[in-house]
Amino acid sequence: MKSSNLPMPAHLFLVSLLLSFSWPTLGDTHQQQDDSFLQCLSLYPGNAAAGSISSVIYTQNNSSFSSVFESSFRNGRVSTTLRPLVIVTPSHVSHIQATVNCSRNHGLQIRIRSGGHDYEGLSYVSHVPFVIIDLINLRSIDVDTENNTAWIQAGATIGEVYYRIAEKTATLAFPAGICHTVGVGGHFSGGGYGMLMRKYGLAADQIIDAELVDVNGKLLDKNSMGEDLFWAIRGGGGASFGVIVAWKVNLVPVPSTVTVFTVNRTLEENGTMLVHKWQSTAPKINEDLYIRLFLRAVNSSRQDETRTIQASFTSLYLGETDELLVLMQESFPELRIARQDCIEMSWIQSILYFDHIPQTEPLEILLNRTSAAAFFKGKSDYLTKPIPETGLEGLWKRFYEDESESLQLIFSPYGGNMDDIRESETPYPNRAGNLFKIHYSVAWREEDDASSQRFINFMRRLYRYMEPYVSESPRRAYMNYRDLDLGTNNNGVYTSYKQASRWGLRYFDNNFNRLIHVKSLVDPENFFRHEQSIPLLRHSLNKILQIVTVSNKKG
């Protein structure tokens, strides 16, 4: 890289400005290391073209440190006492390169945050001295309607992506999630699914190029990073391999008019039968139709206001009402969908609808990145066969426990295009043979540790109850619904395969072994690591290759 063109007095000014901050958590004995790290950032050669890095650095003595640190908190139960030594909010690739190189040289770990929707807070907390790279300033989106593609920087949110697409066209979309404040850096790299999944697959399935800063501080694209690394970051979690800077994606066609509906049925309205029927119907129905199922406890319509279970069937159909009614009558007549249940709208309006945003709100609300933090615990499961009605009856009992007031289960159907993509195509393995995924979540208001533990224990009991009905060997889980109950790595560089496979096989099944192989090649010192990052094992490269070979034969 070229040397900085700044004159020496400017350099000295930057250094003195940065060194005016101190990191009291490290103590005076580490002050020299602190100073040299900040000096390393300020003098990094590539920053000359990008301008001063001091404007995007927040140390613990900076008056804006707390607001920046807390700006992307999404789970209140994650301890905020585990604070970074410094936060870098890069506005240029060179700022990322400087942070990676200087952190390596000074023994600091990195956490990478694009939106903060990390169920266990691994993108912004650590038990060892660390630095946060917060990508909030890298969120440009370049939509190319002529070629049906877009370049999206990793700090953008899903809502920003949808809005920028809709600015250009009403007949292109992107298959990603519903919550508009989720950052695309983590969402895409973990798979990323939404209401278009059965038609177009995951967000990761539509990625055609990427930019990533690797462990050596080099900026790589698809060609220079190679086939293995490009495969790994499309569902294996980008933060295990480097810092994702941007994604290039295919945009997908949608009709100018789509149809949505939401109908609610309680147990007293044949809810158990309808949920049972949904399990075998929703994954096999026309791929243009996506029917999602929400389960929650509500007050019944009886005068005594006893609690009951409500099943909410919410749907997106890529077409008009007349066609949808015919499909529903043929495939799921028991739900009794009527014309008055259906609403026709544009695809971008459906984003507001499914995110529970009133249609009267302007589309600009999708540009709002703020989201209130909640206390919650989430888990996930995949099912390859329907839950029998006796199993559902047992599940309903869990909704009557004290901790279940805000319990919600979301059943997301598979089938369609998901059946056509090979399990090994990307690290995300849950394709053909899966009927649906369950997302469990429970939330609470109390801030004390005892309350948090009570609700977490409730979720664990529910999870144990579901074990006979879900996937097995391994019992699979979704990486983007991070769950540390499944297991963690060691704090050090190495983790045994037995320990890492407790969680790794659940997220990635046979693909886990190939991910370990890629990790050993691109990050042999395991610099990019956290509690559930792809591990570096105490195997020789030949041993790892043997594991991968056996895995591929099984796949």
Side-chain angles (χ1 to χ4, degrees):
M1 293 187 176
K2 296 180 180 179
S3 299
S4 170
N5 294 322
L6 288 175
M8 184 58 68
H11 265 135
L12 292 175
F13 171 75
L14 291 177
V15 173
S16 63
L17 176 63
L18 289 169
L19 299 188
S20 66
F21 300 113
S22 63
W23 295 352
T25 56
L26 290 179
D28 293 339
T29 58
H30 294 96
Q31 188 63 52
Q32 185 174 357
Q33 180 192 27
D34 308 345
D35 293 350
S36 61
F37 174 74
L38 292 171
Q39 184 176 6
C40 178
L41 290 178
S42 68
L43 298 179
Y44 184 75
N47 287 333
S52 172
I53 194 174
S54 63
S55 62
V56 298
I57 291 176
Y58 299 87
T59 65
Q60 292 189 1
N61 281 358
N62 188 294
S63 60
S64 299
F65 177 88
S66 291
S67 61
V68 173
F69 179 50
E70 297 168 6
S71 63
S72 294
F73 282 177
R74 300 292 180 258
N75 194 346
R77 70 177 175 83
V78 175
S79 173
T80 59
T81 60
L82 302 171
R83 299 199 159 206
L85 306 179
V86 65
I87 303 171
V88 181
T89 58
S91 58
H92 190 273
V93 172
S94 69
H95 297 154
I96 299 176
Q97 295 170 312
T99 307
V100 169
N101 284 322
C102 294
S103 296
R104 282 186 68 197
N105 292 339
H106 292 84
L108 298 172
Q109 288 191 3
I110 282 178
R111 293 292 185 267
I112 306 162
R113 183 167 71 178
S114 62
H117 285 266
D118 187 319
Y119 280 23
E120 301 285 3
L122 301 188
S123 63
Y124 52 87
V125 298
S126 176
H127 292 275
V128 298
F130 73 109
V131 174
I132 288 179
I133 297 179
D134 190 321
L135 299 171
I136 189 170
N137 291 327
L138 293 175
R139 60 179 196 265
S140 70
I141 301 166
D142 182 14
V143 176
D144 180 356
T145 56
E146 183 176 345
N147 295 299
N148 294 352
T149 61
W151 269 106
I152 304 166
Q153 286 191 312
T157 61
I158 297 172
E160 290 171 326
V161 172
Y162 293 157
Y163 180 86
R164 297 306 174 195
I165 295 172
E167 272 188 323
K168 296 289 188 70
T169 174
T171 56
L172 289 176
F174 188 71
I178 290 172
C179 181
H180 71 278
T181 58
V182 170
V184 306
H187 185 64
F188 290 10
S189 71
Y193 78 98
M195 302 295 286
L196 293 175
M197 178 178 68
R198 299 186 67 250
K199 180 70 172 180
Y200 295 115
L202 309 176
D205 296 328
Q206 301 297 334
I207 293 170
I208 56 177
D209 202 348
E211 291 182 341
L212 171 144
V213 173
D214 73 359
V215 69
N216 298 310
K218 294 181 179 179
L219 179 65
L220 307 176
D221 62 8
K222 176 183 177 180
N223 291 330
S224 56
M225 73 175 68
E227 178 183 346
D228 283 341
L229 181 52
F230 185 62
W231 173 86
I233 62 176
R234 291 177 296 137
S240 291
F241 305 97
V243 182
I244 303 293
V245 178
W247 304 104
K248 186 178 183 181
V249 302
N250 279 321
L251 304 181
V252 299
V254 291
S256 57
T257 299
V258 303
T259 306
V260 303
F261 70 73
T262 298
V263 294
N264 301 319
R265 302 286 188 262
T266 63
L267 296 188
E268 294 74 23
E269 298 169 309
N270 292 321
T272 302
M273 180 273 291
L274 292 172
V275 171
H276 189 259
K277 179 66 184 293
W278 175 93
Q279 295 177 90
S280 57
T281 300
K284 298 177 182 178
I285 209 164
N286 188 294
E287 66 180 15
D288 287 339
L289 178 56
Y290 188 93
I291 308 175
R292 209 175 189 193
L293 172 61
F294 293 75
L295 299 174
R296 57 178 70 90
V298 297
N299 289 332
S300 72
S301 57
R302 300 173 185 172
Q303 290 185 348
D304 59 4
E305 293 188 345
T306 55
R307 296 178 79 187
T308 186
I309 313 303
Q310 181 186 79
S312 295
F313 301 84
T314 183
S315 174
L316 170 67
Y317 176 63
L318 299 177
E320 298 180 352
T321 300
D322 289 343
E323 301 164 348
L324 172 59
L325 291 175
V326 172
L327 272 176
M328 291 301 296
Q329 183 59 36
E330 292 175 348
S331 303
F332 203 175
E334 296 87 350
L335 198 53
R336 304 193 314 276
I337 295 298
R339 185 173 297 275
Q340 59 265 29
D341 297 318
C342 302
I343 308 171
E344 293 184 346
M345 57 181 60
S346 66
W347 169 76
I348 192 63
Q349 288 173 318
S350 77
I351 297 300
L352 301 184
Y353 178 85
F354 293 118
D355 203 9
H356 304 291
I357 299 172
Q359 294 291 306
T360 53
E361 292 285 349
L363 289 180
E364 284 72 19
I365 196 170
L366 294 174
L367 303 178
N368 183 2
R369 298 177 63 97
T370 60
S371 178
F375 291 83
F376 72 91
K377 175 64 178 178
K379 287 181 174 291
S380 60
D381 263 317
Y382 290 85
L383 285 83
T384 58
K385 56 186 178 182
I387 306 169
E389 289 198 18
T390 54
L392 292 175
E393 295 288 353
L395 177 60
W396 303 153
K397 295 178 182 179
R398 274 64 193 172
F399 282 89
Y400 297 109
E401 296 188 33
D402 292 341
E403 294 84 4
S404 68
E405 181 178 353
S406 62
L407 173 66
Q408 179 172 259
L409 272 60
I410 306 175
F411 290 18
S412 299
Y414 275 56
N417 182 266
M418 293 296 286
D419 284 348
D420 300 330
I421 302 172
R422 290 182 298 116
E423 181 177 318
S424 59
E425 187 71 20
T426 69
Y428 183 91
N430 304 295
R431 307 290 187 169
N434 289 280
L435 295 179
F436 59 97
K437 174 168 76 254
I438 300 179
H439 175 216
Y440 312 87
S441 67
V442 65
W444 58 94
R445 299 182 184 88
E446 298 86 350
E447 299 183 12
D448 59 286
D449 292 340
S451 294
S452 292
Q453 195 59 52
R454 181 165 60 90
F455 282 94
I456 291 170
N457 289 340
F458 165 75
M459 178 61 78
R460 290 170 178 166
R461 293 196 305 272
L462 171 61
Y463 189 69
R464 285 195 297 271
Y465 169 78
M466 290 297 295
E467 186 170 6
Y469 309 111
V470 301
S471 59
E472 57 184 354
S473 300
R475 181 178 184 176
R476 298 190 183 187
Y478 180 39
M479 195 204 76
N480 275 355
Y481 296 149
R482 186 82 69 183
D483 182 6
L484 293 184
D485 287 351
L486 304 181
T488 60
N489 294 334
N490 290 328
N491 290 329
V493 174
Y494 296 101
T495 297
S496 72
Y497 183 81
K498 181 179 180 181
Q499 180 177 342
S501 64
R502 288 181 55 213
W503 61 266
L505 292 177
R506 292 185 180 222
Y507 290 148
F508 306 112
D509 202 24
N510 292 326
N511 294 327
F512 183 53
N513 295 322
R514 184 178 174 187
L515 287 168
I516 294 172
H517 166 59
V518 177
K519 176 72 171 183
S520 70
L521 295 177
V522 304
D523 186 14
E525 296 178 0
N526 200 14
F527 171 70
F528 293 108
R529 66 181 187 268
H530 53 69
E531 287 84 343
Q532 284 187 349
S533 59
I534 302 301
L536 196 66
L537 305 183
R538 289 188 183 275
H539 288 291
S540 67
L541 182 57
N542 288 335
K543 180 63 175 177
I544 296 172
L545 288 172
Q546 290 173 13
I547 294 173
V548 175
T549 301
V550 172
S551 172
N552 288 339
K553 287 180 179 179
K554 289 180 179 180

